[in-house]
Amino acid sequence: MNKNAIEELKTVDENKRLENIKKAVEKGVLIPCTHGVIIGDNAEISAGALVLEGSIILGNSTVGENSVIGPNSLLYNMKVGRDTHLNAFQGCEAEIMDGCDIGPFVHVRPNSVIKNSVHLGNFVEVKNSTVDEHTSVSHLTYVGDSDVGKYVNFGCGCVTVNYTGKAKFRTTVKDHCFIGCNTNLVAPVTVGEYGYTAAGSTITEDVPDNALAIARARQVNKINWVLKKKPYKGME
């Protein structure tokens, strides 16, 4: 949790917590169960938004109409648009625009912008990156120091490899790309429009528009290798 968020929480006792919840409800915010809900003094939640139990909204966070926060979400200095759902989410000093479907178990870190109608699924982390409209990053993926275009699809287990141990570099993924499962994009690198990467590839060179990049060893099958090496556990 952000240190400033922790400091703000130290100032919230039970009376203040209930007072801020009451103010939000009177404005038209829907809070069907107040268990674990904390709303900071400077947070602005629009009428019609739904805040579910275990959700904490702090700092100068704003939440648009008809958005759903929670359950179990933490926002600090976040700007959240309309009709967006954040489920089991943590975000700090970033923006999520309208119509997004985020979570569960997503972390959006500072200086990130998630544009309209983006899907970020379970166990996705975004840091210092822009993800453009209608892009899907469904599961188990890290997008760091990157500029991702529209209508991009990331398969499971992808990583933007942004750090050498000394310096960080950016990755660019242009519109309509398809990033295959278990792809490593080693920055600095660009995947051109409609570019594809084959599953299991480690991409170290730019991918031209409309190209398929394959960067993996060719499969070799060792026939009867197991029979020669047995017995293993469970084998006679």
Side-chain angles (χ1 to χ4, degrees):
M1 184 185 294
N2 180 281
K3 290 181 180 179
N4 292 327
I6 293 172
E7 291 303 314
E8 183 173 348
L9 284 173
K10 290 178 180 178
T11 69
V12 179
D13 60 17
E14 184 66 1
N15 290 332
K16 170 61 77 173
R17 185 181 79 87
L18 294 176
E19 178 186 338
N20 286 352
I21 289 173
K22 181 181 178 181
K23 289 179 181 178
V25 170
E26 288 173 348
K27 283 180 53 180
V29 178
L30 306 173
I31 307 178
C33 178
T34 63
H35 293 168
V37 173
I38 301 175
I39 300 171
D41 290 340
N42 297 320
E44 292 289 337
I45 307 173
S46 297
L50 174 63
V51 179
L52 299 177
E53 62 182 297
S55 294
I56 301 172
I57 304 172
L58 301 174
N60 295 312
S61 294
T62 61
V63 178
E65 297 174 3
N66 301 319
S67 285
V68 180
I69 308 301
N72 302 317
S73 294
L74 171 63
L75 283 65
Y76 181 77
N77 285 349
M78 288 291 300
K79 184 177 180 181
V80 179
R82 303 170 49 142
D83 301 300
T84 282
H85 186 185
L86 307 180
N87 176 15
F89 165 89
Q90 287 199 15
C92 176
E93 297 177 345
E95 180 177 3
I96 298 174
M97 295 186 179
D98 300 341
C100 294
D101 175 24
I102 312 290
F105 313 118
V106 168
H107 188 188
V108 174
R109 294 168 57 189
N111 303 315
S112 294
V113 178
I114 311 300
K115 295 192 178 181
N116 296 336
S117 302
V118 166
H119 170 63
L120 303 179
N122 51 293
F123 304 105
V124 169
E125 180 177 353
V126 179
K127 171 252 181 185
N128 190 29
S129 297
T130 298
V131 180
D132 212 336
E133 297 178 356
H134 300 284
T135 282
S136 178
V137 187
S138 291
H139 25 228
L140 299 168
T141 291
Y142 172 65
V143 178
D145 300 300
S146 298
D147 301 292
V148 179
K150 302 175 183 177
Y151 295 96
V152 172
N153 185 85
F154 278 80
C156 181
C158 296
V159 177
T160 57
V161 185
N162 59 329
Y163 187 43
T164 66
K166 292 184 178 180
K168 294 184 178 180
F169 296 93
R170 293 193 73 81
T171 295
T172 300
V173 179
K174 295 189 177 180
D175 297 348
H176 301 282
C177 287
F178 189 99
I179 308 302
C181 293
N182 291 313
T183 292
N184 296 308
L185 298 173
V186 182
V189 73
T190 296
V191 182
E193 290 191 5
Y194 292 94
Y196 274 57
T197 68
S201 292
T202 294
I203 303 299
T204 59
E205 299 178 3
D206 290 350
V207 179
D209 295 353
N210 303 303
L212 167 64
I214 306 171
R216 61 192 183 200
R218 186 175 295 277
Q219 179 173 324
V220 176
N221 294 327
K222 302 292 187 179
I223 304 302
N224 293 327
W225 182 91
V226 174
L227 299 178
K228 294 174 184 177
K229 295 292 183 179
K230 77 176 189 178
Y232 290 107
K233 184 178 179 180
M235 296 181 68
E236 295 182 357

